[in-house]
Amino acid sequence: MTYGRTELHSGLEGIAVAETALSHVDGARGRLIVAGHDIETVAAAASFEQIAAELWSLGGEAPSAAEVAAALGAARVEAFALLPTLGNALAARDAMDGLRASVAHLVESRHAGEERWRAAARLTAAVSVFAAAWARKHAGAGAVPPDPSGGHAADYLRMLRGAPAKAHEVRALDAYFVTVVDHGLNASTFAARVVASTGSDLVSAITAAIGALKGPLHGGAPGPVLDLLDQVGSPDRAKGVLESEIDARRRIMGMGHRVYRVRDPRAAVLEAAVERLREATLAESDSDAARVTARLELSRAVEREATALLALRYPSRALRANVEFYTAVLLEAIDVPRELFSATFAAARVAGWTAHVDEERRKGRLIRPTSIYVGRVPASDAAEATG
């Protein structure tokens, strides 16, 4: 006897469960389209506020980048005022635990007649404020009040440091935020859409997304990329260290992707952003110039050797650099603490999550896949099957 036996698609691979106008991932060609733009184009030209405005416009509303910037600024101030109400949430030892617990304290609120995107802006602002406050607390420093007139990337760095960041650092983080703002139906986005499909609230959906992002198979690799670079130390050691890691059957962090069969296009975008950052530090005789240059040269050497060695060892698999490889290099270059990497990713991706929640709500159909039962059967069924 079978119990609704059907074809199994492990991990839902190859199964389309939603239509979206937000982003498209072409794994075979190594192409990412966000809000109708190739990621290479939009990351080089747009601010986070501009891409957020476009994502939030796809639900029929049309905020301008200036309106989004003003809303985010005001919402950061509102979120900062909530810090005393978060209890022990920010005391969590892991940044993602602290962020998830902090966001869970929020209540979705909409004023009568208010556009839907403004609720998304409040959640987006809160994530950046809570992430920065967690980092300050664990550094033994007080939380820094937001500057509502600053951009999302600029104010995030200022809240982390307690002082304004340099212009080229802000540009680098802005490029990163745009690059990772949305990426198809990844695990955290899918988690948010599943919750949204039940008719639950926006805060619950974003809390679920944060929980999914915490998983090391989804958002947890940028920090370990730096651990690998530290282990290698210099370009001439790359081949030997990587051979040892591969011989030990340990994963090379930052290499390989579930969807892309070629190099992740976001890796190229972020490598270019680090190069622009390096050139800016050199032009300004910045004290960080040597550090950024050395790290970029090392990361490129490690990527080259890892690509070649993995192709020899696993010729049937496409193991190329993914977004996390140069995420690690970029965030380190602008002094974002390693333990805050995933929460910093969330500070950008939340804009995409909220857009997906709105899109899912407008669809209005509960996401309810089936499963294949492989457990014990009732005795009567077993007798029928053998009789």
Side-chain angles (χ1 to χ4, degrees):
M1 176 175 289
T2 62
Y3 288 81
R5 192 80 187 184
T6 186
E7 184 179 359
L8 176 64
H9 296 273
S10 182
L12 294 181
E13 188 165 359
I15 300 298
V17 300
E19 291 183 333
T20 181
L22 300 170
S23 63
H24 171 64
V25 180
D26 186 336
R29 297 172 60 193
R31 189 181 188 192
L32 171 61
I33 299 170
V34 177
H37 308 283
D38 282 310
I39 194 60
E40 296 87 349
T41 301
V42 73
S47 67
F48 177 79
E49 288 80 3
Q50 288 171 321
I51 195 64
E54 292 205 37
L55 289 172
W56 294 337
S57 292
L58 294 175
E61 299 172 347
S64 67
E67 287 176 314
V68 167
L72 286 171
R76 288 195 299 271
V77 174
E78 292 176 11
F80 186 83
L82 295 175
L83 292 180
T85 72
L86 300 182
N88 292 323
L90 294 177
R93 296 176 68 178
D94 183 90
M96 292 299 285
D97 286 338
L99 182 59
R100 183 188 60 218
S102 298
V103 170
H105 277 74
L106 301 175
V107 176
E108 180 180 4
S109 60
R110 278 186 63 194
H111 307 299
E114 182 183 62
E115 303 101 320
R116 295 187 306 273
W117 69 267
R118 292 188 180 276
R122 282 194 289 273
L123 257 294
T124 300
V127 169
S128 67
V129 170
F130 296 163
W134 181 92
R136 296 285 294 180
K137 182 177 181 66
H138 288 263
V144 176
D147 174 6
S149 66
H152 190 65
D155 208 27
Y156 184 65
L157 287 176
R158 196 189 63 81
M159 289 188 293
L160 276 178
R161 301 175 176 188
K166 298 169 184 174
H168 54 264
E169 294 175 317
V170 172
R171 286 195 298 272
L173 185 61
D174 217 6
Y176 170 70
F177 278 170
V178 172
T179 302
V180 302
V181 71
D182 199 48
H183 194 249
L185 210 58
N186 57 83
S188 56
T189 298
F190 184 56
R193 291 190 77 132
V194 169
V195 173
S197 79
T198 71
S200 190
D201 61 287
L202 180 61
V203 171
S204 295
I206 301 310
T207 303
I210 292 169
L213 182 64
K214 182 188 174 187
L217 296 183
H218 183 21
V225 168
L226 294 185
D227 296 338
L228 174 63
L229 295 179
D230 289 342
Q231 182 183 354
V232 172
S234 61
D236 61 291
R237 283 174 37 85
K239 185 175 181 179
V241 171
L242 290 167
E243 285 179 332
S244 296
E245 291 296 297
I246 293 171
D247 288 343
R249 302 186 69 83
R250 285 190 284 267
R251 181 184 173 194
I252 305 302
M253 306 308 291
M255 301 296 293
H257 192 275
R258 176 71 175 269
V259 178
Y260 291 114
R261 304 277 69 85
V262 294
R263 193 184 195 225
D264 187 334
R266 298 169 299 173
V269 170
L270 295 180
E271 180 187 9
V274 178
E275 176 61 36
R276 289 194 298 272
L277 177 66
R278 186 188 76 86
E279 291 171 356
T281 62
L282 289 169
E284 297 182 10
S285 300
D286 194 308
S287 59
D288 290 331
R291 174 176 63 92
V292 175
T293 297
R295 200 58 145 177
L296 182 58
E297 290 176 353
L298 175 60
S299 64
R300 285 170 167 166
V302 169
E303 184 194 359
R304 282 195 304 271
E305 292 292 349
T307 300
L309 291 170
L310 289 168
L312 286 173
R313 187 65 60 92
Y314 306 106
S316 64
R317 299 174 62 188
L319 299 172
R320 304 290 303 276
N322 61 40
V323 65
E324 292 165 335
F325 195 93
Y326 286 98
T327 286
V329 179
L330 186 149
L331 294 182
E332 180 190 50
I334 58 176
D335 297 321
V336 175
R338 296 185 190 192
E339 61 271 18
L340 200 66
F341 281 5
S342 290
T344 301
F345 182 101
R349 181 58 62 84
V350 62
W353 288 335
T354 53
H356 277 272
V357 167
D358 183 61
E359 194 173 62
E360 188 64 41
R361 283 174 164 176
R362 286 182 279 110
K363 186 176 78 170
R365 181 171 175 79
L366 177 68
I367 296 174
R368 176 51 168 98
T370 59
S371 59
I372 297 173
Y373 181 65
V374 296
R376 295 169 56 187
V377 300
S380 58
D381 291 354
E384 179 183 334
T386 58

